[in-house]
Amino acid sequence: MSEQPAGGDLSRLRQLNAAAVLRELRGDQPLTLTELSKRTRLSRASTEDVARDLLGRGWLTEVAPASGSVGRPARRYRFNAGAGRLLGIDIGGHKALALVTDLDGEVLNQSRIEVDPELGRRERLAVLDRCVRKALAGAGVEAGQIGSTGVATTGLVDGTGKVMLSDSLPEWTGVDLGAHVRRLVPGPVRVENDCKLAALAETWRGVARYAKDVVFLLAGLRTGAGLIIDGKLHRGFANWSGEIGALPAAGWQQAPHHLQTWLERNPRPAPGASGLERVFLAARGGEQEALEAVRGYVSDLAVGASALVLTLDPQLVVIGGGFSRSADVMVEPLRRELDRWCLRTPEIRVSAFADEGVALGAVRLALDEVESTITTGLRP
């Protein structure tokens, strides 16, 4: 029996080697072949072979030698973020948000359009179209230049980009979001649940970059969760993981009612605040009924959160979504509730993305597609 790798095995090995090289070159500093070889634990010959291939296809760029070097300077490489453009879309109940980025996820332009939550399918998709076209135009990018697109939406999504179930958006169940977006941009389009993508954004560029096991709580007009297990987004067998809010006993369905009740009792808006933000503003100011409303909301939120914490034993719980802007009045009550129910309360951190993390997670989803294309496109 030959000990040489079979053709398919050799091709897979090259893909893994290329992925390792690309991962190391994602940092801020360019690296020499020797440095890349040490970091990837590949032989220098394998490292040079992969780097040459990636350089020839435009995915890497060679950096000028460091100043002051003596003798023949070593060649240094970095990932070529300008080799392509990505599009990340978040279409939700109250907004459409589109980001155009380079391959490092640096935002070149973004477009945001507020949406009436009662809009039907056709009107909501029309808003999405306007938002995407505006973002592309602002970035000076043609649709054909987008290498990959990630789309975030509420509801349960299948592998083709179709929304299988959505109880929060009118007429949204059954919409083939992937097919619709492919009519706007011709490249690959991947669609995923918004909570999952918000969790992905946190482990990519957010407060969970150092953590391998994370529970992400989307706290806003809607409550949801995304799970990171061993550093990877957990989707589950049918892509339904994290949907603990579907269980009434988890408390998430009734959680916003505490805040809504306070609004009904206090109809006069405060300066500089609108909607449910008023409840948190009043609580921050020490208004007793508002504090009780927030405590009631957090108490219900903690039931489902505790179940996830007890099941996964995560290193970190991240609070994101629109209400994360008011985390200063939420974190301590949530920690006390988790202390009541959990054997170990993990660290609780607040997302820095607010309600833009979902769109950033969609960009990361698009980047996953590009990176897969880069490695599978290597010569055999």
Side-chain angles (χ1 to χ4, degrees):
M1 175 181 286
S2 172
E3 296 183 0
Q4 294 299 319
D9 293 337
L10 182 59
S11 177
R12 179 58 180 158
L13 181 61
R14 288 185 60 80
Q15 293 171 20
L16 293 173
N17 290 348
V21 168
L22 288 171
R23 185 167 53 249
E24 295 302 330
L25 288 173
R26 284 294 191 184
D28 294 332
Q29 299 299 321
L31 299 175
T32 66
L33 287 174
T34 300
E35 291 167 337
L36 271 174
S37 178
K38 288 180 180 179
R39 294 193 183 197
T40 59
R41 298 184 180 179
L42 301 174
S43 69
R44 182 182 172 89
S46 294
T47 305
E48 186 172 11
D49 187 38
V50 171
R52 185 188 305 114
D53 205 342
L54 293 172
L55 184 67
R57 298 171 60 233
W59 296 115
L60 299 187
T61 183
E62 191 170 344
V63 181
S67 59
S69 55
V70 179
R72 183 179 179 183
R75 302 171 72 182
R76 298 186 302 156
Y77 301 91
R78 74 181 329 145
F79 180 70
N80 183 13
R85 296 290 182 259
L86 305 174
L87 178 63
I89 303 170
D90 174 17
I91 178 69
H94 290 75
K95 73 175 185 306
L97 177 62
L99 307 178
V100 178
T101 78
D102 65 14
L103 295 181
D104 270 338
E106 293 299 322
V107 177
L108 306 177
N109 191 57
Q110 70 177 55
S111 172
R112 181 187 184 112
I113 300 177
E114 299 302 319
V115 179
D116 183 340
E118 301 304 318
L119 280 183
R121 175 189 299 190
R122 180 174 298 180
E123 294 84 358
R124 193 177 301 275
L125 289 175
V127 172
L128 183 154
D129 294 354
R130 295 203 314 271
C131 192
V132 168
R133 292 188 183 109
K134 185 177 178 182
L136 292 174
V141 173
E142 299 290 335
Q145 295 176 272
I146 297 296
S148 179
T149 298
V151 185
T153 181
T154 62
L156 303 174
V157 182
D158 71 5
T160 69
K162 180 180 291 186
V163 180
M164 302 303 294
L165 176 66
S166 176
D167 56 7
S168 58
L169 299 184
E171 303 176 356
W172 207 240
T173 296
V175 63
D176 193 340
L177 199 52
H180 180 86
V181 174
R182 288 184 192 101
R183 289 194 288 267
L184 300 174
V185 285
V189 175
R190 297 174 64 178
V191 184
E192 185 56 273
N193 170 266
D194 53 0
C195 296
K196 290 182 174 64
L197 292 187
L200 192 62
E202 293 299 335
T203 57
W204 180 36
R205 291 200 155 189
V207 297
R209 282 175 289 183
Y210 65 89
K212 286 192 173 182
D213 298 290
V214 180
V215 168
F216 175 86
L217 299 178
L218 185 73
L221 298 171
R222 196 174 46 83
T223 307
L227 310 177
I228 303 294
I229 299 177
D230 197 24
K232 298 178 181 178
L233 178 64
H234 183 68
R235 291 180 167 91
F237 176 75
N239 204 28
W240 289 23
S241 70
E243 296 293 335
I244 197 170
L247 184 67
W252 288 3
Q253 294 179 10
Q254 70 263 22
H257 295 317
H258 299 280
L259 308 177
Q260 294 286 1
T261 299
W262 185 91
L263 283 180
E264 293 168 3
R265 293 175 179 172
N266 299 269
R268 181 176 299 175
S274 61
L276 295 178
E277 294 177 6
R278 292 172 46 211
V279 189
F280 294 103
L281 183 64
R284 190 174 294 112
E287 204 274 319
Q288 191 59 38
E289 285 190 9
L291 284 169
E292 291 176 3
V294 171
R295 280 196 292 266
Y297 168 78
V298 171
S299 179
D300 284 343
L301 178 68
V303 177
S306 296
L308 292 172
V309 168
L310 287 167
T311 302
L312 297 179
D313 185 26
Q315 179 181 353
L316 190 64
V317 171
V318 178
I319 302 175
F323 292 173
S324 64
R325 295 189 180 95
S326 301
D328 58 317
V329 294
M330 287 177 54
V331 170
E332 285 307 316
L334 179 61
R335 181 176 287 111
R336 288 195 296 269
E337 291 293 322
L338 294 183
D339 285 343
R340 289 179 60 197
W341 305 114
C342 298
L343 300 177
R344 181 192 68 85
T345 300
E347 180 185 2
I348 301 174
R349 300 197 66 182
V350 180
S351 171
F353 299 138
D355 64 350
E356 295 182 358
V358 172
L360 190 60
V363 170
R364 177 66 250 189
L365 187 68
L367 184 54
D368 286 345
E369 177 68 28
V370 169
E371 290 181 344
S372 174
T373 301
I374 294 172
T375 56
T376 56
L378 291 172
R379 61 175 176 81

